[in-house]
Short mmCIF file of all heavy atoms in Angstrom, two decimals:
data_model
loop_
_atom_site.label_atom_id
_atom_site.label_comp_id
_atom_site.label_asym_id
_atom_site.label_seq_id
_atom_site.Cartn_x
_atom_site.Cartn_y
_atom_site.Cartn_z
N GLU A 113 41.45 -14.28 -21.72
CA GLU A 113 41.85 -14.39 -23.13
C GLU A 113 41.08 -13.42 -24.00
O GLU A 113 41.65 -12.78 -24.88
CB GLU A 113 41.66 -15.83 -23.61
CG GLU A 113 42.64 -16.80 -22.97
CD GLU A 113 42.30 -18.26 -23.21
OE1 GLU A 113 41.20 -18.57 -23.74
OE2 GLU A 113 43.16 -19.10 -22.88
N THR A 114 39.77 -13.27 -23.77
CA THR A 114 38.96 -12.32 -24.54
C THR A 114 39.41 -10.90 -24.28
O THR A 114 39.55 -10.10 -25.21
CB THR A 114 37.46 -12.48 -24.18
OG1 THR A 114 37.06 -13.81 -24.49
CG2 THR A 114 36.60 -11.49 -24.93
N ARG A 115 39.66 -10.57 -23.01
CA ARG A 115 40.13 -9.22 -22.67
C ARG A 115 41.45 -8.93 -23.37
O ARG A 115 41.63 -7.86 -23.95
CB ARG A 115 40.27 -9.09 -21.16
CG ARG A 115 40.76 -7.70 -20.73
CD ARG A 115 40.99 -7.62 -19.25
NE ARG A 115 42.08 -8.54 -18.89
CZ ARG A 115 42.45 -8.80 -17.66
NH1 ARG A 115 41.82 -8.25 -16.65
NH2 ARG A 115 43.44 -9.62 -17.41
N ASN A 116 42.38 -9.87 -23.33
CA ASN A 116 43.69 -9.67 -23.97
C ASN A 116 43.55 -9.51 -25.48
O ASN A 116 44.23 -8.69 -26.09
CB ASN A 116 44.63 -10.82 -23.63
CG ASN A 116 45.02 -10.82 -22.17
OD1 ASN A 116 44.86 -9.82 -21.46
ND2 ASN A 116 45.52 -11.94 -21.68
N ALA A 117 42.65 -10.29 -26.11
CA ALA A 117 42.42 -10.16 -27.54
C ALA A 117 41.82 -8.79 -27.87
O ALA A 117 42.20 -8.17 -28.87
CB ALA A 117 41.49 -11.27 -28.03
N ASN A 118 40.92 -8.30 -27.02
CA ASN A 118 40.33 -6.97 -27.24
C ASN A 118 41.38 -5.87 -27.10
O ASN A 118 41.37 -4.91 -27.87
CB ASN A 118 39.19 -6.72 -26.26
CG ASN A 118 37.97 -7.54 -26.59
OD1 ASN A 118 37.79 -7.99 -27.72
ND2 ASN A 118 37.11 -7.74 -25.61
N ILE A 119 42.28 -6.01 -26.15
CA ILE A 119 43.34 -5.02 -25.97
C ILE A 119 44.24 -5.00 -27.21
O ILE A 119 44.59 -3.94 -27.72
CB ILE A 119 44.15 -5.32 -24.69
CG1 ILE A 119 43.28 -5.02 -23.46
CG2 ILE A 119 45.44 -4.51 -24.64
CD1 ILE A 119 43.88 -5.50 -22.14
N GLU A 120 44.61 -6.18 -27.70
CA GLU A 120 45.46 -6.26 -28.90
C GLU A 120 44.75 -5.67 -30.11
O GLU A 120 45.35 -4.97 -30.91
CB GLU A 120 45.87 -7.71 -29.16
CG GLU A 120 46.90 -8.23 -28.19
CD GLU A 120 48.18 -7.43 -28.21
OE1 GLU A 120 48.69 -7.09 -29.29
OE2 GLU A 120 48.67 -7.10 -27.10
N ALA A 121 43.44 -5.94 -30.25
CA ALA A 121 42.68 -5.40 -31.38
C ALA A 121 42.62 -3.89 -31.30
O ALA A 121 42.75 -3.20 -32.32
CB ALA A 121 41.28 -5.99 -31.40
N ALA A 122 42.45 -3.36 -30.11
CA ALA A 122 42.40 -1.90 -29.94
C ALA A 122 43.75 -1.27 -30.29
O ALA A 122 43.80 -0.21 -30.92
CB ALA A 122 42.01 -1.55 -28.51
N LYS A 123 44.83 -1.93 -29.92
CA LYS A 123 46.16 -1.41 -30.25
C LYS A 123 46.39 -1.41 -31.76
O LYS A 123 46.95 -0.47 -32.31
CB LYS A 123 47.25 -2.25 -29.58
CG LYS A 123 47.37 -2.03 -28.11
CD LYS A 123 48.48 -2.92 -27.54
CE LYS A 123 48.57 -2.81 -26.04
NZ LYS A 123 49.58 -3.74 -25.48
N SER A 124 45.96 -2.46 -32.43
CA SER A 124 46.20 -2.56 -33.87
C SER A 124 45.26 -1.66 -34.68
O SER A 124 45.54 -1.35 -35.82
CB SER A 124 46.08 -4.00 -34.34
OG SER A 124 44.75 -4.46 -34.21
N ALA A 125 44.14 -1.24 -34.08
CA ALA A 125 43.20 -0.37 -34.78
C ALA A 125 43.74 1.03 -34.92
O ALA A 125 43.30 1.79 -35.78
CB ALA A 125 41.86 -0.35 -34.05
N GLY A 126 44.69 1.40 -34.09
CA GLY A 126 45.26 2.73 -34.17
C GLY A 126 44.38 3.77 -33.50
O GLY A 126 43.40 3.46 -32.86
N ASP A 127 44.74 5.01 -33.70
CA ASP A 127 44.02 6.12 -33.08
C ASP A 127 42.84 6.53 -33.95
O ASP A 127 43.02 7.06 -35.03
CB ASP A 127 44.98 7.31 -32.89
CG ASP A 127 44.27 8.52 -32.31
OD1 ASP A 127 43.23 8.34 -31.65
OD2 ASP A 127 44.76 9.64 -32.50
N ILE A 128 41.62 6.25 -33.49
CA ILE A 128 40.44 6.69 -34.24
C ILE A 128 39.63 7.69 -33.43
O ILE A 128 38.44 7.83 -33.58
CB ILE A 128 39.56 5.49 -34.66
CG1 ILE A 128 39.08 4.71 -33.45
CG2 ILE A 128 40.28 4.59 -35.64
CD1 ILE A 128 37.99 3.72 -33.76
N SER A 129 40.31 8.42 -32.56
CA SER A 129 39.62 9.44 -31.78
C SER A 129 40.15 10.81 -32.20
O SER A 129 41.26 10.93 -32.70
CB SER A 129 39.86 9.22 -30.29
OG SER A 129 41.24 9.35 -30.00
N GLY A 130 39.36 11.82 -32.00
CA GLY A 130 39.81 13.19 -32.25
C GLY A 130 40.28 13.39 -33.68
O GLY A 130 39.59 13.08 -34.64
N ALA A 131 41.51 13.93 -33.83
CA ALA A 131 42.06 14.23 -35.14
C ALA A 131 42.22 12.97 -35.99
O ALA A 131 42.03 13.00 -37.20
CB ALA A 131 43.41 14.92 -34.98
N GLY A 132 42.55 11.85 -35.34
CA GLY A 132 42.70 10.60 -36.09
C GLY A 132 41.39 10.17 -36.72
O GLY A 132 41.35 9.70 -37.85
N LEU A 133 40.28 10.35 -36.01
CA LEU A 133 38.97 10.01 -36.54
C LEU A 133 38.61 10.93 -37.70
O LEU A 133 38.11 10.48 -38.73
CB LEU A 133 37.91 10.08 -35.44
CG LEU A 133 36.48 9.76 -35.85
CD1 LEU A 133 36.40 8.35 -36.42
CD2 LEU A 133 35.54 9.90 -34.69
N ALA A 134 38.88 12.22 -37.55
CA ALA A 134 38.57 13.18 -38.62
C ALA A 134 39.36 12.83 -39.89
O ALA A 134 38.80 12.85 -41.00
CB ALA A 134 38.91 14.60 -38.16
N ALA A 135 40.63 12.49 -39.74
CA ALA A 135 41.45 12.12 -40.90
C ALA A 135 40.91 10.86 -41.55
O ALA A 135 40.88 10.74 -42.77
CB ALA A 135 42.90 11.95 -40.47
#
Side-chain angles (χ1 to χ4, degrees):
E113 291 169 350
T114 300
R115 180 184 64 186
N116 292 343
N118 288 339
I119 290 170
E120 287 301 315
K123 286 180 184 176
S124 66
D127 177 23
I128 59 168
S129 63
L133 180 59

